[in-house]
Amino acid sequence: MKGYPYAGATENPGLFDRDGLNLAVLVVLAVVLGIYLAAGNAWISRDGVLYINMAKTLAHDPLRTARTYPAGYPFLLYLAHRIGTFLGAGETPAAWVASSLAVTVLFRLMALIPLYLLARLLVGSRKGFWAVLILIVLPYPAHNGSDVLREWPFLLFLAVGVWLLFVALRGERWWLFGLIGLDAGLGYLVRPECAQLLVYGLIGLTVFALNASRGSSPVRRRALIGPAALLLLGFTIPAAPYVAWAGLPTARKLDPPAFNRAPVITSVGGRTVRFEPLRFDAAVGSLVAIPIEAFDPDGDPMTVSVVAVPVGVRPVYRLRLNGTGDTLWTISDRQKSLLLTRYRPGVWQYDGIGCYAYAEADAAAGLLPVYGFWSPVLDRHFYSLLDAERKTIVEDESENQWLGEGVAFYAFGQDCPPADGIAVYRFRGREGHRVWAVEGDEDLVRDAFAWYAHAGWAPPAGLAVEGSVVRWRPESDQQGVHQLNVIVDDGRLQSCQLIQIEVGDVEPVRAGVPDVGRCAGVTAIARVANAIFRSISDNLMQYFLVPLCLGLWCRLRREAGPYERTLIISIVAANVSLMLARYLWIQPVVARRYSLGLIALTIGYVPVGLEMIAGGLARLTPQRNGQASSEQIRRRWFCLLVALGVGICIPKLLSRDDGKQRAYPAAVRWLRDNTAAEEVIAANDRRIGFYAERTQVPYERSLDLREVDYILTLPSPGEPGVVPADWVRVFSAPLDSSSGRTVTILRRP
């Protein structure tokens, strides 16, 4: 920038002005750490398996991959694997992982070069060296750089673009805007967020135009249209053909689905939804307000309603298989979701909540288990709570190959009807097929009694739903525990969350939920802000957060020129906005790696902040005659602060003591050695099937037992037990020594 020399011009010559030596030291350190971490990575990330599977599909179905996810990073993995195959590597998971890790490590090394050049341009060679050194030893960015993740390839394109932008603006080298656009277009194929370079380029040109208006002619300002056109043209060259071929390479969660998706309840009363009822306290005469936070993935309008139910029950969802007319009854939200989304639209139809039943045998007196069966011959289900009937259908209808699915739920028999119960009957259709339905809701021939269950009824008097907030001021005769089912409905599908409100005669110490209807938005924003702050703070190991903030504030306020000030503020604002948008509209999670771009582009300000802290400590250090000068003391403090920060990072950086790194690979080895290639594994982690080279189906809270031969479980506190008791444990390994949790493999009996 003419009139605004870069920071390095003001520094005294010294060791750290030799850029070649600086880069050599940094690259060697990064190579050693990268190889060490990659070699010890026995368990890549879940997204890493996703990217490798996408790379595998590129060879035979590239358009499918390109239409479902940005194909730039999978293409790099595919290319690296082809090179590895040419050199003698095979098609094993280990070969794919090795070549993919090599890609990430290589791109991390390349990204460090423009990051150093950018930091050198902004804060000088000496601080730039320390900044990149700190970035190299930060544990979480380093582990991302030794995993199969696209953050560092994306960061290479982003860092090159930002560095070229500063060079172009400061030297008025307008032709570089074509390279910036080309770089942005290539990065767009890895991650669409790389298009933010276009915004930075246009902002930089705007700042230049405003400065030029103070002493230049309008002709010169109009000449900036050329760099803007070059910027857009460069971006269009790689991006436009890709978009014309495959469409916009946005995240799959943004693609319009071919089916209607159920509303998603994110929280009730400020608490995360869960399988068990959420519990709240209330006092007689005190207003309780419970906000319901939910969204519909398809943007459909939603309604919120509340149904009172007995304590301990769960909604039993009813689904119909359109091809055969079969009815499925399940208390599993997961199974309902899988059937409605895994199969093509129209195969399964959601018929609402059929009744309310129990998930535990001891939840109420007189309960009996309702067993489920499935016939792959008939494509139909069968339910019964009678032992004799279960044996009869398996023995007398052997040609239908009825397979047991375990206990579906617990209900009441014919001899023990609940006071508020409804009867579910088995009907016969015209073709003789069995259908289960609540009494009176089907025009079919009644065949036999099936079970008694509960029906929901109106909520307690005075309880009302206002918009998305449940409000209630209990009366003195309403003391006790009230269980309610909160239902969010988009007109076609429903999502539910059970809550229990215990009403006492005095204000509870653990009060219920305050009247926060008007503050729900503020609460959501605070939650997002906290998640973003934790992401940034964790990446900086907390220690370097204050120096970064201090360095940014003081540098931009006192020393930075207009380009640096405007562009750095834009970079911070854009990256925070991207994390916020992802949280609100894609997935309510802010992973640590989402803030990596923000940290890497601003890492140069960490040494600035450390120098300011060192200067303050130097002024507080008493000096005596003949001792070091204040400048020497300041440098000693600076080196001590850097050394302390690096010392904090090193243990976590080099640590390999992860329970999953031991337990899960051991389970995978057992599956690979003791199961047949055609057998199916159920697990809640896609890496199990990838490493074991077995077909895998998802397993979280529920499981379609007819699909699997083995189940791998990792019990979590509060998770319901969904595995049948007759399955055989064949393997277990402790996940860690503190929690007592184990990875367990169960086999079909």
Side-chain angles (χ1 to χ4, degrees):
M1 175 174 60
K2 294 182 178 179
Y4 294 96
Y6 64 83
T10 63
E11 289 188 348
N12 296 324
L15 172 65
F16 295 106
D17 287 328
R18 291 178 286 182
D19 294 323
L21 178 60
N22 290 352
L23 282 173
V25 172
L26 295 172
V27 168
V28 168
L29 176 61
V31 167
V32 173
L33 284 176
I35 293 176
Y36 171 81
L37 294 176
N41 189 357
W43 197 249
I44 64 173
S45 65
R46 297 189 186 193
D47 283 353
V49 173
L50 170 66
Y51 297 138
I52 290 176
N53 288 335
M54 292 172 60
K56 291 180 178 180
T57 65
L58 280 175
H60 57 84
D61 196 358
L63 186 58
R64 177 187 175 189
T65 299
R67 283 179 172 174
T68 56
Y69 215 88
Y73 186 58
F75 174 76
L76 294 173
L77 302 186
Y78 171 77
L79 185 62
H81 181 70
R82 297 312 303 167
I83 295 173
T85 303
F86 177 77
L87 297 176
E91 294 291 335
T92 63
W96 273 99
V97 169
S99 60
S100 301
L101 288 173
V103 169
T104 309
V105 172
L106 177 62
F107 271 81
R108 180 176 181 242
L109 295 177
M110 292 191 295
L112 293 176
I113 298 174
L115 287 172
Y116 169 77
L117 296 176
L118 175 63
R120 173 186 178 276
L121 198 66
L122 296 177
V123 298
S125 297
R126 179 175 176 274
K127 296 186 185 72
F129 173 84
W130 289 116
V132 178
L133 177 66
I134 291 170
L135 180 62
I136 290 173
V137 300
L138 287 175
Y140 293 115
H143 287 291
N144 288 335
S146 59
D147 206 336
V148 186
L149 296 170
R150 56 180 179 160
E151 267 61 37
W152 279 100
F154 157 70
L155 189 54
L156 170 63
F157 291 103
L158 186 62
V160 168
V162 173
W163 172 64
L164 287 176
L165 179 59
F166 275 101
V167 172
L169 291 173
R170 288 181 167 180
E172 298 184 16
R173 302 172 187 174
W174 307 124
W175 61 272
L176 286 176
F177 276 82
L179 293 180
I180 297 170
L182 182 63
D183 174 80
L186 293 173
Y188 180 74
L189 305 184
V190 176
R191 281 187 67 170
E193 295 94 320
C194 208
Q196 63 187 280
L197 286 171
L198 300 182
V199 178
Y200 303 152
L202 295 176
I203 290 175
L205 290 174
T206 302
V207 174
F208 187 92
L210 293 175
N211 289 336
S213 65
R214 300 172 184 173
S216 304
S217 64
V219 176
R220 186 178 181 186
R221 295 199 302 272
R222 286 197 297 270
L224 296 179
I225 297 176
L230 283 175
L231 178 70
L232 298 177
L233 177 62
F235 177 80
T236 303
I237 290 173
Y242 182 93
V243 172
W245 172 57
L248 294 173
T250 53
R252 293 174 300 161
K253 296 182 180 66
L254 294 178
D255 294 337
F259 48 83
N260 179 57
R261 291 175 291 183
V264 177
I265 304 175
T266 57
S267 69
V268 175
R271 303 180 188 179
T272 305
V273 295
R274 54 186 297 179
F275 187 82
E276 296 81 7
L278 299 174
R279 292 175 172 81
F280 303 95
D281 292 339
V284 172
S286 297
L287 178 64
V288 175
I290 304 177
I292 313 299
E293 294 188 16
F295 69 93
D296 189 272
D298 306 314
D300 298 330
M302 300 177 297
T303 59
V304 179
S305 60
V306 174
V307 175
V309 295
V311 173
V313 302
R314 290 200 55 79
V316 181
Y317 304 108
R318 184 182 175 199
L319 293 88
R320 183 190 309 132
L321 184 59
N322 286 328
T324 64
D326 176 48
T327 53
L328 169 73
W329 295 68
T330 179
I331 61 173
S332 169
D333 296 277
R334 177 64 175 169
Q335 185 177 20
K336 178 193 72 171
S337 176
L338 286 176
L339 292 177
L340 293 173
T341 58
R342 179 184 298 177
Y343 297 92
R344 67 179 184 273
V347 173
W348 285 95
Q349 177 179 325
Y350 178 64
D351 284 345
I353 298 174
C355 59
Y356 290 87
Y358 296 85
E360 303 293 339
D362 56 355
L367 290 177
L368 297 174
V370 177
Y371 285 88
F373 295 84
W374 164 256
S375 169
V377 176
L378 301 176
D379 278 345
R380 303 190 72 86
H381 286 85
F382 182 88
Y383 298 96
S384 178
L385 49 67
L386 301 176
D387 291 331
E389 193 173 49
R390 293 198 301 269
K391 295 178 181 178
T392 299
I393 191 173
V394 174
E395 296 174 358
D396 295 353
E397 299 185 20
S398 57
E399 71 280 3
N400 293 331
Q401 300 178 15
W402 289 104
L403 304 176
E405 293 187 318
V407 177
F409 45 83
Y410 294 88
F412 298 95
Q414 194 167 10
D415 298 333
C416 186
D420 58 337
I422 57 172
V424 176
Y425 291 92
R426 186 172 69 231
F427 294 85
R428 288 276 186 174
R430 293 186 180 92
E431 299 177 355
H433 294 311
R434 305 176 183 92
V435 177
W436 281 259
V438 177
E439 182 179 18
D441 71 346
E442 289 286 351
D443 185 17
L444 299 169
V445 177
R446 185 183 297 179
D447 183 35
F449 168 84
W451 62 80
Y452 277 114
H454 294 282
W457 58 86
L463 188 146
V465 179
E466 301 176 5
S468 59
V469 180
V470 177
R471 302 183 190 275
W472 187 27
R473 193 183 299 274
E475 301 292 338
S476 58
D477 60 347
Q478 294 176 321
Q479 296 185 45
V481 178
H482 300 261
Q483 180 160 309
L484 308 171
N485 186 28
V486 177
I487 304 172
V488 179
D489 193 328
D490 69 355
R492 287 175 289 179
L493 295 177
Q494 298 170 323
S495 292
C496 302
Q497 173 61 53
L498 294 168
I499 63 174
Q500 290 181 359
I501 303 178
E502 183 174 358
V503 180
D505 57 354
V506 295
E507 190 71 26
V509 176
R510 178 173 57 88
V513 181
D515 189 357
V516 295
R518 293 177 296 178
C519 302
V522 176
T523 303
I525 293 175
R527 190 180 302 116
V528 179
N530 178 63
I532 294 174
F533 173 80
R534 290 186 60 183
S535 172
I536 298 172
S537 178
D538 288 350
N539 271 318
L540 292 168
M541 292 297 289
Q542 287 77 41
Y543 178 85
F544 291 111
L545 179 62
V546 172
L548 174 62
C549 296
L550 184 63
L552 269 172
W553 171 258
C554 296
R555 171 78 186 179
L556 299 184
R557 187 167 178 263
R558 301 174 184 175
E559 303 176 21
Y563 296 157
E564 180 182 349
R565 182 178 298 113
T566 304
L567 289 176
I568 294 299
I569 291 175
S570 300
I571 288 171
V572 173
N575 280 270
V576 170
S577 299
L578 287 171
M579 287 187 283
L580 176 64
R582 183 184 182 94
Y583 186 98
L584 294 177
W585 291 298
I586 298 180
Q587 188 179 20
V589 174
V590 181
R592 295 186 185 98
R593 65 178 189 266
Y594 298 163
S595 62
L596 178 57
L598 170 62
I599 291 170
L601 293 178
T602 59
I603 195 68
Y605 298 99
V606 171
V608 176
L610 289 173
E611 280 206 337
M612 298 188 66
I613 296 173
L617 293 173
R619 288 191 293 271
L620 296 175
T621 303
Q623 299 185 37
R624 299 178 182 177
N625 295 333
Q627 288 190 341
S629 65
S630 59
E631 178 64 18
Q632 290 175 323
I633 295 175
R634 184 185 63 80
R635 290 190 177 183
R636 291 174 183 174
W637 273 114
F638 176 83
C639 292
L640 180 61
L641 292 172
V642 172
L644 180 60
V646 172
I648 292 174
C649 294
I650 290 299
K652 192 168 189 63
L653 174 67
L654 302 181
S655 174
R656 296 181 180 177
D657 187 23
D658 183 358
K660 289 185 178 181
Q661 293 273 359
R662 299 187 303 272
Y664 275 2
V668 164
R669 287 192 297 271
W670 190 94
L671 290 170
R672 200 162 45 224
D673 296 338
N674 297 277
T675 62
E678 67 275 6
E679 290 183 309
V680 180
I681 313 299
N684 59 1
D685 191 323
R686 64 166 65 97
R687 293 171 289 188
I688 299 296
F690 170 76
Y691 277 107
E693 299 180 81
R694 298 292 184 268
T695 302
Q696 178 183 338
V697 296
Y699 169 57
E700 291 178 353
R701 289 179 176 170
S702 63
L703 179 65
D704 189 351
L705 296 178
R706 65 179 183 268
E707 294 185 0
V708 302
D709 301 289
Y710 290 87
I711 300 173
L712 186 144
T713 65
L714 176 62
S716 300
E719 287 287 331
V722 299
V723 178
D726 54 349
W727 281 55
V728 181
R729 176 182 295 188
V730 292
F731 173 88
S732 65
L735 187 65
D736 52 53
S737 58
S738 58
S739 66
R741 300 167 67 196
T742 60
V743 176
T744 303
I745 298 177
L746 303 169
R747 185 186 64 206
R748 179 188 294 278

